[in-house]
Amino acid sequence: LRVKMINSLNKSEFENKGFTLIKNFLDKEKVKKIKELNQDIIKKCEKGDWPFLSVYKDYPHFGGVINLFGVNYPLHGQLDKSIYNIVSKIKIESCIKYLLNWRNYKTTLIRLHTFNKNYNYQGAWHRDNEDFESQDTIQSVLYLMDESGFRIVPKFNNKKLEEYAIPVSGEEAKVDYMYRKLDKNMYESISAKSGDLFIFRSSLLHQGFSLDKRMHYHMRHEKSIEEISSISGLQFVDDYKSSANI
C-alpha cells in the first residue's frame, strides 16, 4: 500500500519529543476501504458476535447494543476474510527505519479503538512500557477518522512529572494518578486527520481523550534481532494474524 514518505521534520520532532505525527501516511482510497470493513466488524461486535471486546466502563450497554470501546484481534479471519491481507501490507517500514534505524521489527499488538456515541471519552494516564525511554519499543496510531484530543507528555517534560507525584519510570500505571490533572503546558493534544499516523515511544505518559466519534488502530512495534534480507509491511506476530489460534 502506497504511503507518503516521512520527512526530516518528523525525525527532529521524534528525537526532541519522543513522538511525531506523519500526515497523509495512508492514501484516501485505502483508508476508505479499511474503514468500510471496520464498520461491518463493529456492527458484529456490538451485537455480541465477538468475545474479544473492551466496553465503555460506565455504560457497558447503550441503545440496545454493546457500548464498544475497542476490538481485540481486529484482523482475525472470523471477523472478515480480507482485512488482514489489506492491513498487514501497509508499508510502515520506511518510517520505522528512518526514525529508529532498526534493521528489523515485529508488530506485537493491534487493537481497533472505536467510539460511536456522542459523549466524551477520557482514558487513564499510563505508559505502555515502564523503562523510559523504551529504546526497543514504540506505539503507533493509524487514524481512520479525523480525531482530536489524544494527550501525551513529551520526553523533555518527563522529569517534571515528579512535581505531580507521578513516577518518571518503573511502572506503567497506578490508580493514584490515572486521572490526575496536569497543567496544559505539560502535555500536547494531538489533532489528526484520517490517514495520519502517530508514532511515539511506548514509555511516554499518555491518555486517550476524545470529544467525538473515533476509529483508529493502536499498535505496538518491537525491535527484532532476527536477521532477514528485507522487511515489508507490519510484520505481525502469529497471535495477530488472520488465522491466529485464539
Side-chain angles (χ1 to χ4, degrees), residues 62-223:
F62 193 94
V65 298
I66 294 171
N67 195 6
L68 194 61
F69 164 82
V71 180
N72 298 320
Y73 308 104
L75 308 181
H76 200 278
Q78 292 181 35
L79 285 171
D80 183 89
K81 298 296 185 184
S82 63
I83 194 164
Y84 178 83
N85 192 48
I86 296 171
V87 174
S88 65
K89 293 179 180 177
I90 292 174
K91 298 182 71 61
I92 199 173
E93 64 270 16
S94 59
C95 299
I96 291 178
K97 288 184 71 174
Y98 186 65
L99 292 177
L100 296 135
N101 200 32
W102 290 356
R103 297 184 65 180
N104 193 12
Y105 61 89
K106 296 291 185 182
T107 298
T108 58
L109 175 73
I110 181 169
R111 293 192 185 107
L112 175 64
H113 286 171
T114 181
F115 197 60
N116 290 323
K117 311 307 176 189
N118 292 315
Y119 49 81
N120 300 353
Y121 163 73
Q122 178 178 336
W125 286 110
H126 68 283
R127 309 174 192 270
D128 291 306
N129 186 291
E130 64 182 20
D131 297 320
F132 187 81
E133 296 179 20
S134 62
Q135 295 292 326
D136 294 338
T137 175
I138 58 171
Q139 312 289 121
S140 69
V141 181
L142 178 57
Y143 290 93
L144 302 172
M145 297 177 66
D146 296 354
E147 289 185 36
S148 297
F150 182 89
R151 297 169 174 177
I152 187 165
V153 176
K155 71 177 188 179
F156 54 73
N157 276 344
N158 190 64
K159 183 68 174 175
K160 295 180 184 178
L161 289 170
E162 292 177 336
E163 299 172 15
Y164 298 83
I166 298 177
V168 298
S169 67
E171 60 186 14
E172 294 182 8
K174 193 173 183 180
V175 67
D176 292 355
Y177 62 77
M178 282 183 174
Y179 296 97
R180 185 155 299 163
K181 185 176 181 180
L182 300 183
D183 292 335
K184 289 187 177 181
N185 62 357
M186 280 294 296
Y187 62 85
E188 291 193 24
S189 293
I190 306 303
S191 293
K193 297 291 186 181
S194 176
D196 290 352
L197 180 72
F198 185 62
I199 293 180
F200 63 99
R201 290 204 179 274
S202 303
S203 60
L204 294 182
L205 194 72
H206 58 280
Q207 178 188 62
F209 191 92
S210 178
L211 299 177
D212 206 343
K213 297 178 181 180
R214 68 177 191 161
M215 185 193 295
H216 64 248
Y217 285 125
H218 182 90
M219 296 178 280
R220 179 178 300 130
H221 316 283
E222 298 183 18
K223 183 179 180 180

Side-chain angles (χ1 to χ4, degrees), residues 206-242:
H206 58 280
Q207 178 188 62
F209 191 92
S210 178
L211 299 177
D212 206 343
K213 297 178 181 180
R214 68 177 191 161
M215 185 193 295
H216 64 248
Y217 285 125
H218 182 90
M219 296 178 280
R220 179 178 300 130
H221 316 283
E222 298 183 18
K223 183 179 180 180
S224 173
I225 60 172
E226 180 184 351
E227 292 288 342
I228 57 175
S229 58
S230 63
I231 55 177
S232 179
L234 285 165
Q235 303 196 149
F236 287 105
V237 296
D238 289 346
D239 284 351
Y240 290 95
K241 292 181 177 179
S242 177

